[in-house]
Amino acid sequence: MFFVLIQTSWPFYHYICRDLENIDSVISKYLENWDLDRLGNTDKAILRLGAFELMHYDTPKVVVINEAVELAKKYSDDNVRKIINAVLDKVSNEN
C-alpha cells in the first residue's frame, strides 16, 4: 500500500524527502498523546504529503485535508483517519 501511495504522489516525493525533518517536526507538534513513530508507514506518508502540500502550495486547505482523509479511509483505520484530519487541520491553521 505504501508503494501505491508513493507512486501516486511521486512529484512530491523528492521535495518531501528533502524537507522531511521540518515536516516531521510540524506534524509531531500537533500529535496529541501520540508519537510519529507509533504510526504506520502509510499513515506517516499520508500525513507528510498533506503537511507538505499545506506548507508549500496554495492548494485550498479543505482540498488537501479532504484528499488526505480519503486516502486514510482507504488505507488506514478510523482512529488514524481522525488523527490525520486533526493534525492537518492544525497545520493548515499555522500556515
Side-chain angles (χ1 to χ4, degrees):
M1 283 187 258
F2 178 72
F3 297 107
V4 171
L5 183 60
I6 291 299
Q7 287 175 338
T8 60
S9 308
W10 187 250
F12 295 110
Y13 179 74
H14 175 72
Y15 299 107
I16 291 170
C17 289
R18 285 183 30 195
D19 198 27
L20 191 60
E21 189 174 313
N22 182 45
I23 294 167
D24 284 355
S25 173
V26 170
I27 290 169
S28 293
K29 183 169 41 172
Y30 297 117
L31 280 173
E32 296 176 10
N33 302 318
W34 277 80
D35 185 72
L36 192 58
D37 293 331
R38 285 182 60 194
L39 295 173
N41 288 335
T42 303
D43 308 324
K44 286 189 270 193
I46 294 168
L47 266 173
R48 288 169 172 160
L49 177 62
F52 175 80
E53 193 168 357
L54 289 167
M55 293 163 61
H56 297 286
Y57 287 85
D58 292 330
T59 308
K61 298 183 228 186
V62 173
V63 173
V64 174
I65 295 170
N66 186 56
E67 288 174 352
V69 168
E70 289 301 316
L71 285 170
K73 283 180 184 176
K74 186 171 184 176
Y75 297 110
S76 300
D77 67 39
D78 197 47
N79 290 331
V80 175
R81 179 192 56 79
K82 291 175 185 176
I83 291 169
I84 289 171
N85 186 30
V87 169
L88 292 179
D89 183 56
K90 291 175 184 172
V91 171
S92 74
N93 290 327
E94 180 179 292
N95 293 302

